[in-house]
Amino acid sequence: MIIVLKPTVTDEQVTEISNILQSRGLGVHLSRGVETTIIGAIGALDEEKAELAGQLGTLAYVDRVVPISKPYKVVARAFRPEGTTISVRGVEIGGRRVCVMAGPCTIESEEMLLSTARFVRDQGATILRGGAFKPSTSPYSFQGMGEEGLKLLSAARDETGLPVITEVMDPRDVELVCRYADILQIGTRNMTNFTLLREVGQSRTPVMLKRGWASTIEEWLQAAEYIASRGNYQIILCERGIRTFETYTRNTFDLNAVPAIKELSHLPLIADPAHGTGRWSLVSAVARGAVAAGADGIMVEVHPTPQAALKDGAQSLTFPTFSKLMEGLRPVAEAVGRDC
Amino acid sequence: MIIVLKPTVTDEQVTEISNILQSRGLGVHLSRGVETTIIGAIGALDEEKAELAGQLGTLAYVDRVVPISKPYKVVARAFRPEGTTISVRGVEIGGRRVCVMAGPCTIESEEMLLSTARFVRDQGATILRGGAFKPSTSPYSFQGMGEEGLKLLSAARDETGLPVITEVMDPRDVELVCRYADILQIGTRNMTNFTLLREVGQSRTPVMLKRGWASTIEEWLQAAEYIASRGNYQIILCERGIRTFETYTRNTFDLNAVPAIKELSHLPLIADPAHGTGRWSLVSAVARGAVAAGADGIMVEVHPTPQAALKDGAQSLTFPTFSKLMEGLRPVAEAVGRDC
Amino acid sequence: MIIVLKPTVTDEQVTEISNILQSRGLGVHLSRGVETTIIGAIGALDEEKAELAGQLGTLAYVDRVVPISKPYKVVARAFRPEGTTISVRGVEIGGRRVCVMAGPCTIESEEMLLSTARFVRDQGATILRGGAFKPSTSPYSFQGMGEEGLKLLSAARDETGLPVITEVMDPRDVELVCRYADILQIGTRNMTNFTLLREVGQSRTPVMLKRGWASTIEEWLQAAEYIASRGNYQIILCERGIRTFETYTRNTFDLNAVPAIKELSHLPLIADPAHGTGRWSLVSAVARGAVAAGADGIMVEVHPTPQAALKDGAQSLTFPTFSKLMEGLRPVAEAVGRDC
Amino acid sequence: MIIVLKPTVTDEQVTEISNILQSRGLGVHLSRGVETTIIGAIGALDEEKAELAGQLGTLAYVDRVVPISKPYKVVARAFRPEGTTISVRGVEIGGRRVCVMAGPCTIESEEMLLSTARFVRDQGATILRGGAFKPSTSPYSFQGMGEEGLKLLSAARDETGLPVITEVMDPRDVELVCRYADILQIGTRNMTNFTLLREVGQSRTPVMLKRGWASTIEEWLQAAEYIASRGNYQIILCERGIRTFETYTRNTFDLNAVPAIKELSHLPLIADPAHGTGRWSLVSAVARGAVAAGADGIMVEVHPTPQAALKDGAQSLTFPTFSKLMEGLRPVAEAVGRDC
């Protein structure tokens, strides 16, 4: 932690702050420049540093406090430099094969779920997605089929052999959802719902953590650390676009985050070009871009008749557009030394 | 709802989409311009419109769908044009008097809570704040005293006569917190935690809903509608700054939101200049600005010794700076026809 | 400048970077922590530091470089702690009196300019604004009356006694505009047009520099430093809102910037609530908020018949709404120890 | 243009606004719903519509005005559905071959420019970049070699056969730069410098227009329309990242913009992953992603010794990292049916 003092700081104040730091067991390195005096504080535990940084910031002669060490440990690349591969019923995420998660945004009926599941499997998808509990910005909109939907999902897995992923929103539902799902999904709206993060951290089901739409890469890794800190290390990250000033697209897919996460963390990374763009016509190109940049897989929404979809129709693919996406993705995966 | 069709749309496609709309019971108004064809769809219920908008967006000949009606009703200004005043143990929020909520960010001990409570009351604060359950970006940081903190808060109310507000994060804690608190606070990280919104909507304790740091004004009102839709109409909104590219301040306090909320909604609005700036040296000026623009009150963090605060020290006021804030705020409140 | 090295750095690399720094004449302070090694580099000139920071960032063992000193000098508060007051034909900007700049967005005719000028003067405005060269996002839109407009503006000054401010966009027009205007305005689109900044820096006419819509407070001060570095110290800053994800308002007026600028710089600050909101119904409230937070004045657009305005109608005030704004602003100015 | 009226609108007001529209020669389509009244105004020229939209927005009974038609014409995809290929001394931009523009950020000496030019050509670059006039946020930093740099660039072209691209910042320099350069570059800071856009629009040298760091895709296309409206149709767009809340990277490369531009415009598109990330370690991955998503080429900064670079070192590639980038890019280009 670096503490930059104001140019007007007095010797007494420098002594005062040095004493505060030393009383917390920190080593103090003082650098007095012509204009600025800087203190390097060395040795505190990270959690204490965050608190201390806030406290020091209130001293009138402190200009600012610059944190140095990363606020996450277990999910950091250094913890497992070779990278993590998560295996779900024989399907690997983070391995050589690019993982394609596909299925309807929301489970609407057995018929539509099954027909979609069979189709996407035949086209090369390896994991089936489908929402039973749906976050909805309007309290009056459809909120999902609930446990009934989970049962349909589980039946679709039995029928197609595809492991299934579905969202959990309520900490009280974690146990229920674990009974049916192979991967729990934490949605973008709940990335900072620490109650829920702790709860899924206590389960032993793999978790896919979507990035908050206005969370930095480091905050996203801290949210992953929340889950890991409870003992669940099977975490998959999912970049789904961030909120910016651009209005042509619903979100801005953050391609930079793909290699950045690979630098900073050992966790596998999935790209969600459907939410990342909000426009079905852009999904395929962004999926190719993400895989070319190093994503371990993609998640897309596929619906037999998107015009009739109950949610997120504008970003869903039809059966023919999904086939085309797979066709375009395969050579790109191979170009970066993978298959799909 | 307005549907803008692509210039290349054919007559058959116009007929197709018109039929879709009519089959949903909507009136269709067609306008063919030189370059663009536009359809006005009239009459659907709002919840259905959102779904329909997504579905129509997948038709290849649809350029875009423009929603027209507001996605909230009960919290809209039109629902109660005269505005809402919420009364908590005799203290009014949304009335003539500017409401000052003050107290420590986090409850750390009986001693510090009580001394702060007495001080802020004597300076003119009318509501005591204090955190017992704390959202923390690091899983290793202090998470609050829990029920023990609630008991201290309740004791401080008995001693000072100030009603108390505190945050609830877990839907399973709502009942517990209601036993001690006069106002429930929903934090910025939970504005889109719909599970929690529904749960506080079922209580009959007033709720202060902080704006999500990357939520639009209309999404914020929709979150309020979530609470109201469960029957709890005692909602207070709290503007606490949004996330932007600016780095000198921790957030950007959105002053525009103050008169905008007054235009769009009948709910009272509190400003949080502490989180809105993240720098104690800016808090007082922003508090004055918010009240001059029409805020019904402010919420600030006050700590006997901010250098020793366990959380958010950099934005906490000391006793002397809080006195000075109150001194500067009073004439501004009077200048806009209120008192404080 | 602080250089944070990666945990894997070797002793040889530490020696290498220390030598690079010393060969540039910098003092080196080395702090080795358990996990991180940090180097404080002391003594370089600022301009060299920016270059050096970029260069060091390419060393594979450097994690990041943290600049410490502010990238501006002449416009920094420390340069003139008592603050700057600029006097234009007897009207002070930055003094006790809140300065109100008002007039039409664009000069359309002698008649409308004069009637507006007389009206705003009678209501208390002290400076007349009006655009002769207009930035327009569409190449096919009205671009202003040019020199003809400048002549009308100058005539309006003679008639009303109000000093005049107008925008200059082309470095080749600076001399021409100086002949007619009392204050040059640099628009938000040109805040990083360094050619233009240098040119107005060479004139001796006061300059009002609008903040770039996506420029940080410190970048804005650096742009002011550009002007000052050429010898023109008569600079007024103008906060006009920044671009964020919010769509209800055209921009987000950054209230935090008002006290932040007062902390960081000695220059006077004007608020532009018209562009800061983009909605006439919010202008008055935001003007009050800005003055309560410490702004030295406001700039607003007033038009006899906004429905007929050639530009920016949606944010223009009518004569009656401008009167009402002044009426509401006066007590707020007095509440913060000023008049208006 | 759609005009949404407030629920409280009266019949007289509907008549008033209809008359205003008709007096401007617009067709009026009126739709009265249960809650909302909407007017579709049909037929105006685009430039007039923008003005009219602003004017109507000031009517107290207008809720909002929704523009329908795109604010650009000549650069729109519909103008040339087959796409545009620009040929510069035999090198095609927008053709089958992915175009690689490489070279130093800033021209520092003949020796470094020539050695870099030869190296990048041998690795497969087809265009040489190098800055002679440099935008610099600090007035005290190096501003480029000026005409001396242009001469070196021109000499490097003669020696290597690579066409050259360089930035122009001052409208008075356009003629000079055209004498030496094959492509003019407009930097991100000047995307809304309309004076400069008009000036390069009058030349007949191809122009590469970088996206403003906080400009939407449609504003970027409008800036291109500025150039085209003066008769220069040889325009190349360059996505270079936008400003967001993320701090780990300097900008957020907007991958969505790649297929979006291809949908909306016929112009060729280059990706700049160096500025788009600000970190050399991410450049190669983002370059692959951009090409996989459909970019017509990339622009990167290469320096013999980035540690000694005068500008933007942190994002410059060394000779070995550039070779590696090319090696990784080639199979991706082939995977999407191109070569490189």
Side-chain angles (χ1 to χ4, degrees), chain C residues 178-218:
Chain C
C178 284
R179 256 182 272 145
Y180 296 99
D182 300 304
I183 309 174
L184 303 175
Q185 178 177 313
I186 301 292
T188 186
R189 288 173 181 78
N190 283 316
M191 195 205 88
T192 53
N193 179 345
F194 301 129
T195 303
L196 184 61
L197 296 181
R198 271 196 296 265
E199 203 73 32
V200 300
Q202 262 145 10
S203 86
R204 288 302 169 264
T205 302
V207 178
M208 186 167 86
L209 177 68
K210 289 200 152 188
R211 179 177 183 182
W213 71 52
S215 295
T216 65
I217 292 169
E218 301 222 318

Side-chain angles (χ1 to χ4, degrees), chain D residues 152-173:
Chain D
L152 295 180
L153 197 61
S154 173
R157 172 186 51 209
D158 294 346
E159 155 87 22
T160 60
L162 297 174
V164 296
I165 178 170
T166 198
E167 180 162 354
V168 60
M169 295 171 62
D170 190 325
R172 295 165 295 197
D173 289 339

Side-chain angles (χ1 to χ4, degrees), chain A residues 263-337:
Chain A
E263 252 179 25
L264 297 171
S265 175
H266 56 82
L267 298 175
L269 178 76
I270 297 293
D272 175 349
H275 289 92
T277 60
R279 283 179 174 260
W280 64 268
S281 61
L282 309 179
V283 167
S284 197
V286 169
R288 289 196 304 272
V291 167
D296 295 303
I298 61 162
M299 166 177 259
V300 287
E301 298 176 3
V302 179
H303 195 283
T305 51
Q307 297 90 306
L310 287 180
K311 284 195 74 68
D312 282 336
Q315 66 199 35
S316 282
L317 301 177
T318 56
F319 286 8
T321 47
F322 177 67
S323 298
K324 242 180 129 182
L325 175 149
M326 291 300 292
E327 211 178 289
L329 195 60
R330 223 160 264 133
V332 171
E334 281 157 22
V336 292

